[in-house]
């Protein structure tokens, strides 16, 4: 054991006295002749003359280094002095000169202080605030504080070894850091800024510590063995991390492909030039906004989470719609961490679309996807000197297991477990951020890990937009920026673009705001283009204009020259096919080989490409798709990746629209239809047998069809009848039971040929289920379109009426039920629990399901608003979080159904059987439960505001903490009901209520009000 400050005092005294007497300037100029000069100088260094002569290469830096010790520390920053090399060299000279045989502890103290000061210089270079605060503070003052703190300390050999293993947690680091903390606090720096800076210096020290070890190990014996035990490996790790941060996180990557990810389309500027921080709303476990919590600035919320040790077990989940800025946040926050937090935190950005295989553990998945040598070490996640912040972008883009929710659920559970392990382990201090589309969680919400901390990105408000316009003015010019703002304020600009107080607009989404601004700048966006355009049509018009803009204004000159053989319209047809391929791939990219194969089946596109290939002697498909930019494919071939997932979905919708128009057309004298039944059957499997249609694709598709001059009322009816006929045959298993090679088998084979890298490709049943459910979605959409109150065509209302579960004959007995949908749900869910709801659950609003037999069905989180379930059997159905507002459940059987947290606003439940149903936290405001049976139902914490419970059977019902304000309970039976903590008001109607004398925990005030004593 040694008094810690002894060796440091001696070293710094040496630097301030004896060493300054050497003629460093002469040593620099005389080089090899300097030994004689040193010998003649005196006896003090006579014995060290040969050693000093070896310092000639560093001599020019030593005098400035010694001068810097007395100068303000900020002068060291940017001076370019090899701090560690000089410090270590002088330390070795000191040990030689003092004739000491240093102990391990002495050696570690010397190299630790040198490394710490080198780290201080490095981190100071990235912190303007601290640099200004330190001002004229000399380095010597900080050194003296450090020695003072160690003066009374006894550092053991084990403590010294810990400094080499995990410096930031060592006693030596604690004393050095306290000295720096006191110095910073005296400057007036606040506690948070001080602590962050002090932590960064400590976490940054190991890289310099191992550099110092490398330079001393050959001469300072106590350090030699320690360095050989892992010193070079540690140095290699730090080098690898630096290279990763430069190439994958910073905008200054040496890899052109990675550097281009920062570019905004084909602009000269990058994301950092345009980005503004966004607001987010905290979300509870049920996906609802947390009550009484104001929106937060996402970056500030993430920074606070990162700094809060009490939230170390929490995973930050950022959700939001397409184009809301999730990926931009990940990239910008990772870069901020690199600049201002590293190495206290080291950011790792992972695009989840690149995770093609889910490993047995999250740790193994990380090692598989992080393409850097530091992640090749077996225990890279257990290195106490490195804490990683993993930013996992695009939860909805995971490719594994056919993109079904089982893989997603498994992945999130792995992430949650990993974060909990990190909070319990002293070796893993890592954090995880995940982003994804809001809807991607609906199918797995009930099984989410308990340690997710969720926030949802909000549309850009006026203040955020104004900050964005300031950035845009710097890039496009003030005049252009002002003109665009006037465009948005124009009364003819659709509300869907500019937004209203009730509904956000496209210009409040960062991606679309940029597209609008750029097109307006390039005179490709005019207010007259949007006259009379509203709703989703406005978004479609924006994307259509964007495609034209990208294919003309944004295309490089070389590309314009090479693809003149293909006009814009033909390019768009090719892009639509590419969009379908990208969506079917489950990623944001698809291989050129796959797109080329699909186009071979399109005679028009095939002819165009062949003609262009003959003229330009090149691959016209590769050139045509280059505007949406090319990247190397996973298996080496080229692939196309759209700038944003929304473009792929929009183009996929355009491709589907073409086929639906074709299917709706009649034939001629020789054929009944333009596309025969056999051809249509195959096209349905080919187009829809890959996975579920997203709400965005369906919204685009229906809006395009509605606006299409190619589709008249007869076409709508014909299309519906043909799809319905296919649906009925599919329900009976006719297509999957056909002779080989049948259509599902053919599509399965093609998908496997196109995606050979997929570990778990889609099987025969998955292809069949996806196709049938997607046809179900199309039929539901056609039904909603035809039956909409604003639909002017009586013919459509009469002819397009869809019964997903089938229709009972008029002579059917009252107890009979339809069961077609029950079979479909079970067919889908036998592949994976909840698959039906995952695929079709968002599209069931206003569905005609009266008399449907659906006992025990899983419809959790489904959108069933306005659906007709009159007389349906939903006993034991799982309706957790379902949206049932305005639904008709008259006389429905909901015995023992789980309606926890469901939205039953304005629902008709008159005469319904809800005995033993779970309605905990359900919203039943304005609902009609006249004569409903709620025997033993659980309504605790339910919202029964303005609900009609007249004559309802409420015996043994649990109403604890329920809201009964303005409710009508006249003639209701409350025998043995639980009424603890209920709220009511003067408008709650209790006339004729029965059973209160046996009810439990009746509030005293209610007894008094009703005269019950």
């Amino acid at each position: 054991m040694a008094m810690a400050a002894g060796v440091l005092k001696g070293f710094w005294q040496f630097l301030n006295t004896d060493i300054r007497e050497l003629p460093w300037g002469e040593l620099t100029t005389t080089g090899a002749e300097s030994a004689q000069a040193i010998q003649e100088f005196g006896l003090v260094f006579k014995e060290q003359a040969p050693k000093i002569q070896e310092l000639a290469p560093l001599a020019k830096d030593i005098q400035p280094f010694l001068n810097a010790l007395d100068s303000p520390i900020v002068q060291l920053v940017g001076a370019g002095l090899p701090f560690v090399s000089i410090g270590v060299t002088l330390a070795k000279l000191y040990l030689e000169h003092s004739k000491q045989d240093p102990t391990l502890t002495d050696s570690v103290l010397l190299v630790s202080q040198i490394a710490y000061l080198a780290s201080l210089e490095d981190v100071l270079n990235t912190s303007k605030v601290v640099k200004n605060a330190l001002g004229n503070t000399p380095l010597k003052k900080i050194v003296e504080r450090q020695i003072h703190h160690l003066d009374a300390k006894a550092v053991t050999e084990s403590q010294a070894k810990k400094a080499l293993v995990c410096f930031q947690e060592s006693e030596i680091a604690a004393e050095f850091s306290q000295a720096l903390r006191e110095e910073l606090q005296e400057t007036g720096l606040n506690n948070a800024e001080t602590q962050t800076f002090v932590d960064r210096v400590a976490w940054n020290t190991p890289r310099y510590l191992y550099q110092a070890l490398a330079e001393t190990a050959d001469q300072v014996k106590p350090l030699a063995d320690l360095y050989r035990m892992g010193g070079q490996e540690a140095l290699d790790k730090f080098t690898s991390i630096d290279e990763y941060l430069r190439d994958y996180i910073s905008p200054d990557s040496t890899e052109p492909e990675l550097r281009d990810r920062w570019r905004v389309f084909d602009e000269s500027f990058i994301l950092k030039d345009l980005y503004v921080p966004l607001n987010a709303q905290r979300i509870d476990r049920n996906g609802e906004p947390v009550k009484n919590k104001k929106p937060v600035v996402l970056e500030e919320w993430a920074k606070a989470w990162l700094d809060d040790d009490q939230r170390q077990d929490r995973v930050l989940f950022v959700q939001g719609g397409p184009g809301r800025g999730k990926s931009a946040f990940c990239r910008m926050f990772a870069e901020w961490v690199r600049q201002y937090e590293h190495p206290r935190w080291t950011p790792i950005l992972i695009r989840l679309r690149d995770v093609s295989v889910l490993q047995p553990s999250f740790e193994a998945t990380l090692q598989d996807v992080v393409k850097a040598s530091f992640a090749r070490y077996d225990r890279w996640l257990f290195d106490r000197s490195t804490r990683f912040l993993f930013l996992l972008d695009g939860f909805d883009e995971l490719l594994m297991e056919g993109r079904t929710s089982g893989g997603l659920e498994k992945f999130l559970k792995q992430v949650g477990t990993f974060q909990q392990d990190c909070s319990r382990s002293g070796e893993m201090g890592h954090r995880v951020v995940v982003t994804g589309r809001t809807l991607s969680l609906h199918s797995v919400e009930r099984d989410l890990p308990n340690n997710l901390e969720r926030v949802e990105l909000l549309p850009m408000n006026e203040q955020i937009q104004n900050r964005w316009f300031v950035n845009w003015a710097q890039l496009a010019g003030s005049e252009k920026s002002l003109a665009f703002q006037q465009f948005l304020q124009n009364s003819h600009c659709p509300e869907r673009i500019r937004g209203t107080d009730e509904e956000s607009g496209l210009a409040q989404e960062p991606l679309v705001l940029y597209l609008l601004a750029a097109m307006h700048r390039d005179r490709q966006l005019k207010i007259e283009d949007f006259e009379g355009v509203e709703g989703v049509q406005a978004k479609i018009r924006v994307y259509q204009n964007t495609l034209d803009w990208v294919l003309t204004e944004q295309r490089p000159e070389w590309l314009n020259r090479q693809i003149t053989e293909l006009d814009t319209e033909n390019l768009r047809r090719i892009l639509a096919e590419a969009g379908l391929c990208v969506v079917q791939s489950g990623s944001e990219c698809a291989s050129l080989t796959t797109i080329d194969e699909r186009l071979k089946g399109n005679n028009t596109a095939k002819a165009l490409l062949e003609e262009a290939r003959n003229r330009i002697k090149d691959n016209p498909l590769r050139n045509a798709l280059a505007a949406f930019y090319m990247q190397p494919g996973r298996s080496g071939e080229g692939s196309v990746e759209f700038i944003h997932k929304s473009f792929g979905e929009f183009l996929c919708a355009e491709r589907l629209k073409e086929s639906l128009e074709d299917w709706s057309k009649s034939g001629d004298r020789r054929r009944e239809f333009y596309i025969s039944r056999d051809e249509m059957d195959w096209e349905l499997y080919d187009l829809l047998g890959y996975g579920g249609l997203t709400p965005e694709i369906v919204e685009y598709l229906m809006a395009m069809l509605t606006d299409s001059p190619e589709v008249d009322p007869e076409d709508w009816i014909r299309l519906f009848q043909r799809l319905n006929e296919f649906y009925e045959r599919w329900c009976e298993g006719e297509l999957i039971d056909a002779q080989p090679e049948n259509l599902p088998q053919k599509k399965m084979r093609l998908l496997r040929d196109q995606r050979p890298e997929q570990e778990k490709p889609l099987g025969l049943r998955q292809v069949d289920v996806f196709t049938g459910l997607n046809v179900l979605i199309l039929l539901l959409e056609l039904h909603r379109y035809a039956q909409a109150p604003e639909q002017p065509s009586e013919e459509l209302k009469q002819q397009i009426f869809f019964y997903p579960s089938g229709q009972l004959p008029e002579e059917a007995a009252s107890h009979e039920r339809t069961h077609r949908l029950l079979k479909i749900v079970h067919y889908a869910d036998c592949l994976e629990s909840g698959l039906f709801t995952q695929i079709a659950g968002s599209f069931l609003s206003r569905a005609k399901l009266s008399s449907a037999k659906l006992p025990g069905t899983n419809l959790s989180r489904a959108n069933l608003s306005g659906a007709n379930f009159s007389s349906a059997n939903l006993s034991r159905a799982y309706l957790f979080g379902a949206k049932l507002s305005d639904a008709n459940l008259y006389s429905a059987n909901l015995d023992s159904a789980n309606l926890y947290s469901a939205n039953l606003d304005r629902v008709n439940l008159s005469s319904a059987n809800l005995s033993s149903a779970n309605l905990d936290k359900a919203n039943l405001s304005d609902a009609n439960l006249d004569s409903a049976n709620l025997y033993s139902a659980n309504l605790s914490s339910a919202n029964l505001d303005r609900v009609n419970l007249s004559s309802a059977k409420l015996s043994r019902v649990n109403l604890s903490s329920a809201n009964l304000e303005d409710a009508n309970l006249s003639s209701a039976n409350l025998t043995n009901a639980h009424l603890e903590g209920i709220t009511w008001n003067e408008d709650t109607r209790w006339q004729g209520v029965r059973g209160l004398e046996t009810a439990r925990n009746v509030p005293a005030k209610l007894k008094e009000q009703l005269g019950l004593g």
Side-chain angles (χ1 to χ4, degrees):
M1 184 180 296
M3 297 309 292
V7 68
L8 297 181
K9 280 183 177 179
F11 177 51
W12 288 99
Q13 185 177 357
F14 173 74
L15 294 183
N16 284 297
T17 54
D18 300 344
I19 197 67
R20 294 176 183 263
E21 297 175 9
L22 283 173
W24 295 108
E26 185 178 342
L27 182 62
T28 302
T29 57
T30 59
E33 301 171 1
S34 61
Q36 181 64 33
I38 294 168
Q39 287 177 352
E40 293 172 355
F41 184 71
L43 296 175
V44 176
F45 288 100
K46 188 172 183 178
E47 294 181 16
Q48 282 78 44
K51 294 284 185 184
I52 295 173
Q53 186 180 7
E54 295 174 7
L55 301 182
L58 288 172
K60 64 180 176 56
D61 293 322
I62 289 178
Q63 191 63 56
F65 175 85
L66 294 172
N67 293 338
L69 299 180
D70 299 319
S71 304
I73 189 173
V74 294
Q75 291 185 11
L76 270 177
V77 179
L81 295 175
F83 200 102
V84 172
S85 296
I86 297 172
V88 167
T89 299
L90 294 177
K92 289 190 289 187
L93 184 61
Y94 161 68
L95 294 173
E96 287 274 348
H97 177 63
S98 63
K99 295 183 170 35
Q100 291 186 28
D101 187 11
T103 65
L104 173 66
T105 302
D106 289 339
S107 303
V108 170
L109 281 167
L110 278 173
V111 295
S112 293
Q113 189 175 46
I114 292 167
Y116 188 89
L117 296 175
S119 173
L120 173 60
E121 177 199 2
D122 183 23
V123 178
L124 195 60
N125 196 38
T126 66
S127 179
K128 186 180 294 185
V129 173
V130 179
K131 194 188 301 183
N132 292 337
L134 284 174
N136 294 320
T137 304
L139 180 63
K140 182 187 294 186
K141 187 179 178 185
I142 295 174
V143 170
E144 289 172 350
R145 276 189 186 273
Q146 291 177 336
I147 293 173
H148 174 73
H149 272 275
L150 284 167
D151 203 21
K153 294 287 182 180
V155 177
T156 65
E157 186 172 300
S158 64
Q159 289 173 334
K161 287 181 178 178
K162 183 173 183 179
L164 298 178
V165 175
C166 186
F167 177 82
Q168 70 276 5
E169 295 181 11
S170 68
E171 185 70 23
I172 295 173
E175 299 304 327
F176 286 171
S177 295
Q178 181 58 27
L180 178 58
R181 186 180 294 107
E182 291 172 0
E183 194 65 44
L184 292 173
Q185 287 172 340
E186 286 183 6
T187 68
L189 207 64
N190 67 49
N191 290 337
E193 291 171 327
T194 295
Q195 191 59 49
T196 296
F197 184 81
V198 169
D199 285 349
R200 288 186 67 197
V201 173
W203 281 88
N204 195 43
T205 299
R207 65 175 57 235
Y208 295 105
L209 186 56
Y210 281 103
Q211 181 187 341
L213 284 177
E215 296 188 21
T216 58
D218 58 334
Q219 296 180 34
V220 183
K221 190 175 185 305
L223 298 178
D225 292 339
L226 291 175
Y227 179 72
R228 281 195 294 270
M229 290 171 61
Q232 188 58 51
E233 183 179 293
L235 286 175
D236 291 344
K237 180 196 77 171
F238 291 128
T239 300
S240 174
I241 287 175
D242 289 343
E243 290 172 351
Y244 172 85
L245 294 177
R246 178 197 66 203
D247 287 340
Y248 286 86
I249 303 299
S250 86
D252 304 318
S253 174
T254 58
E255 300 289 334
E257 178 197 341
L258 298 173
R259 192 168 58 246
D260 282 348
R261 289 180 183 175
W262 278 93
R263 293 182 67 191
V264 179
F265 278 64
D266 200 39
E267 304 280 10
S268 59
F269 53 83
I270 62 173
L271 176 64
K272 285 181 75 172
D273 300 323
L274 196 57
Y275 182 81
V276 292
L278 302 169
N279 286 348
Q281 176 66 52
R282 281 168 275 188
I283 300 297
D284 65 21
R285 179 172 175 78
N286 299 318
E288 301 297 331
V290 177
K291 293 179 179 179
N292 304 319
K293 294 291 185 180
K294 293 181 179 179
V296 296
V297 178
L298 181 56
E299 274 79 358
E300 297 305 317
W301 179 255
K303 291 173 188 178
W305 162 79
L306 197 59
D307 270 341
D308 190 348
D309 291 339
Q310 300 303 312
R311 295 154 75 189
Q312 191 176 350
D313 65 331
R314 312 295 290 173
V315 175
L316 184 61
F317 194 101
V318 181
Q319 62 189 59
R324 279 285 169 87
K326 300 179 295 296
S327 296
F329 160 74
C330 278
R331 190 164 294 282
M332 289 296 296
F333 193 63
E335 170 62 2
W336 178 85
V337 172
R338 182 193 72 83
Q339 282 189 291
Y340 301 109
E341 286 285 342
H342 178 69
R344 192 169 81 126
W345 293 101
T346 298
I348 304 293
L349 178 58
I350 298 171
R351 301 192 309 173
L352 288 177
R353 75 189 77 160
D354 298 330
V355 179
S356 56
V357 178
L358 181 61
Q359 300 294 347
S361 69
F362 181 61
E363 292 88 336
T365 299
L366 287 175
Q367 188 163 33
D368 191 45
V369 76
V370 178
K371 308 300 184 185
S373 61
F374 66 81
R376 302 283 76 82
Y377 299 112
D378 289 339
R379 291 186 59 80
W380 68 293
L381 292 171
F382 297 88
D383 183 350
R384 299 167 72 98
S385 65
T386 309
R387 291 189 304 186
F388 293 110
L389 170 63
F390 295 103
L391 297 109
L392 312 178
D393 183 33
F395 170 70
D396 50 294
E397 295 163 17
L398 284 167
L399 306 181
M400 55 250 181
E401 300 187 27
R403 296 163 58 240
T404 56
S405 64
L408 307 183
E409 181 183 331
K410 179 181 177 182
F411 179 78
L412 273 187
K413 285 183 177 178
Q414 286 185 351
V415 171
T417 301
F418 173 79
Q419 190 64 71
Q420 288 178 333
D421 290 344
C422 287
S423 69
R424 299 181 187 123
S425 169
E427 295 180 301
M428 299 193 301
H430 316 301
R431 296 287 185 94
V432 181
V433 177
V434 185
T435 74
R437 288 193 181 185
T438 302
L439 283 175
S440 66
L441 286 176
H442 282 185
S443 60
V444 297
E445 203 150 33
R446 61 193 170 97
D447 296 312
L448 289 176
N450 292 324
N451 58 330
L452 284 193
E453 192 163 313
R454 294 168 62 183
V455 293
E456 178 154 14
L457 279 168
L458 298 174
M460 301 170 79
N461 59 28
E462 186 177 355
Q463 290 78 15
I464 295 174
Q465 278 186 325
N466 287 338
R467 289 196 290 272
W468 190 93
F469 287 131
V470 170
N471 291 346
W472 183 245
Q474 294 175 346
L475 300 170
S478 299
E479 186 177 337
K480 296 276 188 182
S481 180
L482 181 60
F484 175 55
Q485 292 177 65
Q486 291 170 345
F487 167 87
L488 293 178
Q489 294 164 4
N490 192 301
S491 60
H492 294 291
C493 181
E495 290 182 349
R496 183 65 185 263
I497 290 180
R498 53 190 165 88
T500 65
D501 292 339
E502 291 75 30
E503 185 177 3
S504 63
L506 296 175
Q508 293 175 274
E509 299 173 7
L511 172 66
V512 181
L513 180 61
Y514 158 73
L515 293 174
L516 291 168
M519 287 189 289
H520 190 271
R521 174 200 60 192
D522 295 343
R523 303 181 185 279
Q524 297 296 309
L525 190 70
K526 301 173 183 177
I527 197 66
E528 49 266 29
D529 294 340
F530 293 93
E531 289 186 10
V533 177
E534 278 298 346
V536 69
Q537 295 290 354
K539 190 169 188 176
I540 290 173
R541 187 69 56 86
V542 170
Y543 279 157
Q544 288 172 337
N545 286 4
T546 300
L547 286 174
D548 292 337
W549 173 65
V550 169
L551 291 172
T552 54
E553 298 296 323
Q554 285 285 299
R555 197 167 56 208
E557 290 183 10
W558 65 268
L559 186 59
N560 274 321
R561 290 196 302 271
Q562 291 194 32
I563 63 171
T564 51
E565 302 303 327
L566 298 174
D567 60 29
T568 299
E569 189 57 37
N570 288 324
L571 281 174
R572 287 186 63 156
R573 295 179 66 181
I574 292 171
L575 284 171
E577 204 72 46
L580 176 68
C581 290
V582 167
V583 169
Q584 289 199 356
S585 76
S587 174
E588 287 189 21
C589 64
S591 71
L592 286 174
T593 302
T594 301
I595 300 170
D596 204 20
E597 285 298 317
R598 285 203 62 85
L599 289 171
K600 287 178 181 177
N602 184 321
N603 292 330
T604 304
K606 182 179 178 181
L608 287 168
L609 288 171
E610 285 301 321
E611 184 180 356
R613 183 178 285 112
N614 292 333
R615 296 196 185 206
I616 64 179
K617 308 300 181 186
D618 199 353
N619 185 338
L621 177 60
R622 181 183 297 273
N623 295 344
L625 296 174
F628 286 84
Y629 81 75
M630 305 282 297
Q631 65 168 19
R634 287 193 181 91
S635 56
E637 82 277 13
S639 63
V640 60
E641 176 175 345
F642 290 104
I643 300 156
H644 193 274
K645 187 176 181 178
S646 296
F647 282 99
E649 292 173 326
F650 171 73
L651 288 165
C652 176
E654 282 204 329
R655 175 63 185 85
L656 294 176
K657 167 182 165 285
E658 292 178 11
S659 289
L660 265 68
E661 286 177 342
D662 290 344
W663 301 337
S664 72
K665 299 303 177 188
S666 61
D668 50 28
R669 287 179 295 179
R670 295 188 179 131
R671 54 183 180 175
E672 184 179 2
F673 303 112
Y674 177 65
I675 301 294
S676 69
R677 189 177 89 160
D678 289 345
E679 290 174 319
M680 179 176 164
D681 287 350
W682 164 241
E683 288 181 13
L684 282 166
Y685 275 98
D686 184 40
L687 294 173
L688 304 177
Y690 67 92
L693 290 170
T694 67
E696 290 80 16
I697 292 175
V698 173
E699 184 182 39
Y700 297 145
L701 175 60
M702 290 304 297
M704 290 176 189
L705 283 175
T706 303
D707 201 42
S708 173
E710 299 292 323
V711 184
D712 60 27
E714 287 187 3
D715 294 329
W716 281 104
I717 295 168
R718 189 179 297 110
L719 176 63
F720 170 76
Q721 290 172 343
R722 299 194 71 189
L723 287 172
N724 194 46
E725 188 261 349
F726 174 91
Y727 175 73
E728 290 177 351
R729 289 188 291 122
W730 174 80
C731 289
E732 295 302 317
E734 176 183 318
L735 296 127
I736 197 172
D737 290 339
Q739 290 293 318
E741 176 182 52
N742 59 38
L743 301 182
Q745 289 173 329
K746 181 179 178 181
K747 180 60 178 178
M748 178 186 70
R749 175 177 55 79
L750 289 176
L751 285 173
R752 294 187 176 194
D753 290 345
Q754 291 164 5
R755 292 189 273 174
E757 78 285 352
Q758 193 168 20
E759 186 175 292
K760 292 186 177 181
L762 294 183
L764 183 66
R765 291 174 303 163
Q766 283 97 332
V767 169
D768 190 52
V769 166
F770 287 141
T771 302
L773 293 186
N774 285 329
V775 171
L776 169 65
I777 289 169
L778 293 178
L779 286 165
L780 288 165
E781 290 298 316
L782 292 175
H783 171 87
R784 263 190 298 277
Y785 169 71
Q787 300 302 319
E790 63 273 15
Q791 174 59 250
S793 173
E794 285 299 322
E795 186 180 12
L796 292 187
K797 289 186 176 183
Q798 294 295 324
Q799 296 292 326
I800 299 179
F801 212 98
F802 178 51
Y803 296 87
S805 193
Q807 186 177 11
L808 288 174
E810 291 184 6
E811 65 275 11
S814 60
H815 66 274
E816 290 188 59
R817 299 290 181 267
T818 61
H819 56 267
R820 176 182 288 169
L821 189 62
L822 181 65
K823 291 181 178 179
I824 294 172
V825 174
H826 288 170
Y827 181 29
D829 286 1
C830 77
L831 300 179
E832 180 189 330
S833 178
L835 183 60
F836 174 83
T837 307
Q838 179 194 346
I839 300 298
S842 299
F843 304 95
L844 293 167
S845 64
R846 303 213 301 270
K848 181 68 174 174
L849 290 162
S850 56
S851 299
K853 183 180 180 180
L854 295 165
T857 305
N858 180 6
L859 293 170
S860 60
R861 293 285 174 192
N863 182 5
L864 301 162
S865 57
N868 184 353
F869 283 101
S870 61
S871 301
N873 181 2
L874 287 159
S875 60
R876 305 183 314 284
Y878 196 86
L879 292 156
F880 169 91
K883 299 176 180 65
L884 284 152
S885 57
D886 295 302
N888 180 10
L889 285 146
Y890 170 77
S891 198
N893 181 10
L894 288 150
D895 178 38
S896 302
N898 185 356
L899 288 148
Y900 175 86
S901 197
N903 183 10
L904 295 151
D905 185 34
R906 299 182 303 277
V907 71
N908 179 11
L909 282 162
S910 59
S911 301
N913 177 17
L914 287 154
S915 59
S916 300
N918 180 14
L919 289 148
D920 183 21
K921 293 186 172 64
N923 176 22
L924 286 145
S925 61
D926 293 302
N928 179 11
L929 286 99
D930 180 27
S931 301
N933 178 12
L934 287 125
Y935 177 82
S936 292
N938 178 14
L939 284 154
S940 64
S941 301
N943 180 14
L944 297 162
D945 180 37
R946 300 184 301 278
V947 71
N948 179 11
L949 286 161
S950 62
S951 302
K953 301 176 183 67
L954 296 168
S955 56
R956 297 187 182 277
V957 72
N958 180 5
L959 284 164
S960 58
S961 301
N963 176 17
L964 291 164
E965 292 181 357
D966 299 311
N968 179 7
L969 289 106
S970 56
S971 301
N973 183 358
L974 286 162
T975 303
N976 293 316
H978 293 259
L979 300 176
E980 182 179 7
I982 63 168
T983 58
W984 72 98
N985 61 8
E986 59 185 13
D987 292 318
T988 303
R989 297 173 62 184
W990 302 94
Q991 292 89 342
V993 68
R994 292 169 291 147
L996 272 178
E997 65 279 0
T998 63
R1000 302 178 186 180
N1001 301 311
V1002 180
K1005 287 187 178 180
L1006 181 59
K1007 287 183 178 181
E1008 181 181 347
Q1009 176 183 328
L1010 300 178
L1012 297 176

